[in-house]
Amino acid sequence: MYSSDSQRKHEPALQIGIDSKPAIHVDPRNLGPSYAIAVGPYCGGILWQVERTSDGQIMQRVFTPAKWHMTNGREPHAVTPFVGNRVALIAFTHSSTHLASSRPLLDAPVS
């Protein structure tokens, strides 16, 4: 338990994408590496990302399905078109997770 909100640290988040087809984008509020896996009976749906090498060159990286990969959401990335059912899990740290309530969701009032 933190004694004040200012002492709370950034905590990891988990995003679940079901059949999502994100176009090329960046996630500027990610604070560090992300870990991603996509599973399900689908064809296509490859995660690809643009990366900058240590010497400043730009390259394209492709991630194979059904395997955990470390990615960088702050670089441009997208998912190629696919058919079937694709579920993606992305573990990351978002810059605003420290603002979330520490109260369990099950205790939250239902509106």
Side-chain angles (χ1 to χ4, degrees), residues 9-79:
K9 296 180 181 178
H10 296 286
E11 299 169 357
L14 180 65
Q15 176 179 339
I16 302 170
I18 300 173
D19 293 336
S20 61
K21 300 176 181 180
I24 189 167
H25 67 284
V26 296
D27 301 312
R29 300 188 90 186
N30 280 18
L31 295 179
S34 299
Y35 298 89
I37 187 171
V39 296
Y42 67 93
C43 185
I46 302 296
L47 172 64
W48 69 265
Q49 176 178 321
V50 173
E51 286 191 347
R52 290 176 181 81
T53 62
S54 59
D55 61 356
Q57 294 184 8
I58 296 176
M59 59 183 267
Q60 178 175 299
R61 187 171 174 199
V62 176
F63 300 93
T64 56
K67 182 177 177 186
W68 283 101
H69 295 281
M70 185 171 73
T71 66
N72 182 352
R74 292 172 294 184
E75 295 289 351
H77 58 283
V79 172

Side-chain angles (χ1 to χ4, degrees), residues 60-108:
Q60 178 175 299
R61 187 171 174 199
V62 176
F63 300 93
T64 56
K67 182 177 177 186
W68 283 101
H69 295 281
M70 185 171 73
T71 66
N72 182 352
R74 292 172 294 184
E75 295 289 351
H77 58 283
V79 172
T80 62
F82 65 90
V83 294
N85 299 107
R86 181 181 184 274
V87 177
L89 302 174
I90 303 99
F92 63 100
T93 302
H94 191 276
S95 64
S96 65
T97 55
H98 68 285
L99 300 174
S101 171
S102 60
R103 194 168 91 189
L105 289 176
L106 295 177
D107 291 342

